Amino acid sequence: MNIPFLGNRRRKGGVPGPEGIAELLAECELLRSQAYRSGIRLDDSPASLQALDQLVPGWRDDEERSAWLGNDAGLYLGTVIVRTVPGAAWEIRPDGQPVVRLASGREFDVVDSGHQWAASGVPELSQLYAEVAED
């Protein structure tokens, strides 16, 4: 997911800081709406990733919706990682792609993982989280 507007987004004094970017990336509006309609509360916890893995994937027949949901799923996964894994932080690549950088220095492309999850359900978001949390 290329987010070129992040570099141009202005606030008093310039580009938003890391907290502002993290808030923007955490919105995941389509995913949160889908989860809410299914009775799932997304509270930015690892347990909510397990609940998402149980959603009935009705979006897979709609390519556009699946793509947006994949972006949101990846950003939500990243949000949970950044908020719960010590030393994890958002980083925006020069091409505008948001990734999560772990304390070990490993870079994790959460958006790509979200697209894979939305398209096929594999790997599960909770499984990805567990792998990253162990790093």
Side-chain angles (χ1 to χ4, degrees), residues 4-23:
F5 65 85
L6 285 176
N8 297 325
R9 189 173 172 112
R10 300 283 178 213
R11 64 174 166 88
K12 288 185 182 180
V15 178
E19 297 83 18
I21 291 172
E23 284 180 37

Side-chain angles (χ1 to χ4, degrees), residues 89-105:
W90 283 109
E91 186 174 295
I92 307 297
R93 291 181 182 159
D95 67 358
Q97 179 75 11
V99 296
V100 172
R101 179 156 312 268
L102 304 176
S104 66

